[in-house]
Amino acid sequence: GKDSLSLLRELPKLRLVGVDSSSGMNRVFRRRASGLNVEGDRYRLLTADILDPALKEKIVETARDAFAEERFRVVISSLTIHHFTRRQKAAAFRLVHSLLEPGGGFLLGDLFSYKGESDRLHDTVFDWELRWMADNFDREIENAGKRRDAGAQADYGRLRQKWLMHYQSDNVLDSVSAHLRMLKMAGFRQVGNPFRYWLMGLIFARK
């Protein structure tokens, strides 16, 4: 939501339809938008699963009723797709393609692996990330121990276990090249990767 709010502030003519699976995050968005004096008639928020087959109809109906539009010039996804399987990613890319007007663009900012591109780099990055997360939590647990704060120690211990499990089990990272192929298969005529650093990257696709 932070990026969307920045765009709404910078682009006065922008109209936005946002989708989040969390109603709580949508409430936070509305509160922050109000604090930034972003008018409520410039955006609409849907609480929905992006993989819901009925979502396209809901998005189109929302855009038509609120903004008299049924297609979008730009679709942005930030740090969501890396939780999806390849089949789910392909479905999400087809949905995005169907929502864009001809010539419209898709921007995907997310986490990407080096799987199939460099096995050595893939293993190095994965192992380093795990060690970095574990070391940071261990440092916080140690500091809480020095403060004799048993509650904080227990909290950091639970978070450590949760985040390491999330990173190893819930993230489904694929390579940039795999994403570009899936986007081509979804119908995008132009795809590219203008930025990549470590796990982070930006992909664009044009319909």
Side-chain angles (χ1 to χ4, degrees):
K2 182 178 179 181
D3 293 336
S4 297
L5 285 172
S6 296
L7 289 171
L8 284 166
R9 292 188 69 192
E10 294 294 328
L11 304 171
K13 294 184 179 180
L14 177 69
R15 299 298 181 266
L16 178 144
V17 176
V19 180
D20 199 299
S21 61
S22 168
S23 58
M25 291 307 297
N26 282 337
R27 286 195 296 271
V28 170
F29 185 99
R30 291 188 182 94
R31 185 171 67 248
R32 290 180 176 175
S34 177
L36 295 170
N37 296 317
V38 174
E39 300 90 344
D41 61 355
R42 294 183 57 207
Y43 66 87
R44 292 293 184 271
L45 303 179
L46 296 174
T47 301
D49 182 349
I50 195 174
L51 299 172
D52 180 357
L55 180 58
K56 178 184 175 180
E57 183 178 345
K58 295 176 183 176
I59 292 175
V60 170
E61 181 180 345
T62 299
R64 182 174 57 239
D65 292 346
F67 310 124
E69 299 278 358
E70 293 189 358
R71 291 294 181 266
F72 295 82
R73 293 178 179 84
V74 178
V75 174
I76 299 174
S77 173
S78 178
L79 296 175
T80 297
I81 297 294
H82 71 275
H83 294 120
F84 295 173
T85 65
R86 282 203 176 187
R87 180 176 294 181
Q88 292 169 332
K89 289 172 185 173
F93 294 158
R94 289 193 297 270
L95 170 64
V96 171
H97 185 271
S98 71
L99 289 170
L100 286 168
E101 64 181 25
F106 175 42
L107 295 177
L108 172 62
D110 220 307
L111 303 177
F112 304 96
S113 75
Y114 293 87
K115 191 186 306 179
E117 298 172 336
S118 169
D119 291 339
R120 181 178 179 182
L121 188 54
H122 172 74
D123 293 340
T124 298
V125 171
F126 185 80
D127 292 342
W128 188 92
E129 289 283 328
L130 283 178
R131 289 198 306 273
W132 179 81
M133 280 188 282
D135 289 347
N136 275 277
F137 279 116
D138 289 342
R139 185 160 48 251
E140 293 299 334
I141 291 170
E142 181 181 355
N143 290 337
K146 291 177 181 178
R147 300 193 305 269
R148 298 184 179 181
D149 188 341
Q153 276 188 300
D155 288 341
Y156 279 121
R158 285 190 292 270
L159 284 172
R160 182 187 192 277
Q161 182 180 13
K162 179 179 179 180
W163 272 102
L164 292 178
M165 184 177 298
H166 168 77
Y167 187 81
Q168 296 177 83
S169 303
D170 298 335
N171 286 352
V172 189
L173 304 190
D174 283 305
S175 65
V176 165
S177 57
H179 283 78
L180 297 180
R181 287 194 299 271
M182 286 186 279
L183 287 163
K184 280 282 192 179
M185 291 179 66
F188 288 94
R189 62 182 176 85
Q190 182 183 9
V191 298
N193 171 223
F195 170 78
R196 188 177 191 181
Y197 180 77
W198 206 242
L199 291 177
M200 294 296 300
L202 177 66
I203 285 176
F204 79 88
R206 187 178 299 279
K207 183 173 178 178

